Amino acid sequence: MAEPNFTIIAPIFNEAQSIPELYRRVCEVMDSTGDSWELILVDDGSTDGSTRVIREIAENDERLRPVIFARNFGHQLAVTAGLDYSRGQAVVIIDADLQDPPEVILDLIAKWREGYEVVYAVRTEREGESWFKLTTASVFYRLIYRITDVDIPMDTGDFRLLDRKAANMLNSMRERHRFLRGMSVWIGFKQVGVPYSRAARIAGETKYPFKKMFKFALDAVTSFSYFPLQVATYFGFFLAGISLLAIPIVIATRLAGSQTFIGQATTLIAVLFLGGVQLISLGILGEYIGRLYDEAKGRPLYIVREAPDDQYISPPRGE
């Protein structure tokens, strides 16, 4: 089979109800381009029958190329696997829940044809999401924008198009704690955004509850910023400065006969406060050290149980 012009990647985790509609709409959109294309569905350890649905469709359409993980490895690694297996001159990453409308792919392709090498979709509206989700997402994007070392566009997810050069560069970056939307900005190239309205899920429930979102945010911050370490340092200098100022004040009040600073309560509060600061600082340091440990083990990013033609099993370190 000749290499296609376009590759569409969709990570799948318990999306059995959405897969047929995703496939139908992707076919409709991509057939309208008149170019050759392939759809890579990466099954990230689904337990709801998604694997069976993917195989059934693949049996009748060779353009659908399933990649089945040995277990659940997470959304970002599922996208990474899709990039590893992709063959198109342009690669589009899209979520399987259809909150990212496949019809927007035509707008991404149009910008790619104009010469842009990374085209990201910018969310102008988010339908069907709670106020808590909207608020935390807004805070997350603005926090990341301000403290990271790269200018990550606000209100953008993984829905984007990558030129083959950009996709190959991402494939060469084998770090374990991945924040792909930040990595795709870090590599550079000619980039542009395309606005779109994000739809509500057509079925199922979100795969990013608060716990996973918090971990995702932590990966984003530690992958592209030393800000948490700097905060610990600044806090230490701040407390040291307060201590230096407090020493002559305490001496002066004692010499004046004041009983203000006598007693164990003040000492206990100060000790507990400083102990808390030290533990927080150690925890921040531990997060970075833990990530170094994960990288040093050199394990593959994911394990594939079944893949197209079995032509690739993920190597460590981008070999």
Side-chain angles (χ1 to χ4, degrees), residues 5 8 12 25 46 56 60 67 70 79 85 94 116 121 136-137 151 171 191 226 229 238 254 280 298 307:
N5 289 337
I8 314 299
I12 305 293
R25 289 173 63 178
S46 297
E56 288 175 354
N60 299 308
V67 176
V79 175
Y85 283 93
I94 189 171
Y116 292 97
T136 53
D151 294 330
N171 287 344
Q191 307 199 8
Y226 300 117
L229 293 174
F238 175 72
R254 292 295 299 275
I280 292 172

Side-chain angles (χ1 to χ4, degrees), residues 3-9 30 33 35-40 65 82-83 85-94 105-119 160-168 171:
E3 293 186 356
N5 289 337
F6 297 103
T7 296
I8 314 299
I9 299 169
M30 297 310 299
T33 65
D35 292 298
S36 59
W37 58 276
E38 65 179 359
L39 173 62
I40 297 179
R65 304 173 65 224
L83 289 169
Y85 283 93
S86 67
R87 301 177 299 175
Q89 293 306 304
V91 181
V92 176
I93 303 168
I94 189 171
I105 293 175
L106 296 178
D107 297 329
L108 304 182
I109 291 175
K111 288 296 183 181
W112 176 67
R113 294 192 191 280
E114 291 177 12
Y116 292 97
E117 293 149 314
V118 177
V119 186
R160 63 191 59 221
L161 178 148
L162 303 167
D163 183 79
R164 173 45 54 189
K165 296 190 296 292
N168 287 343
N171 287 344

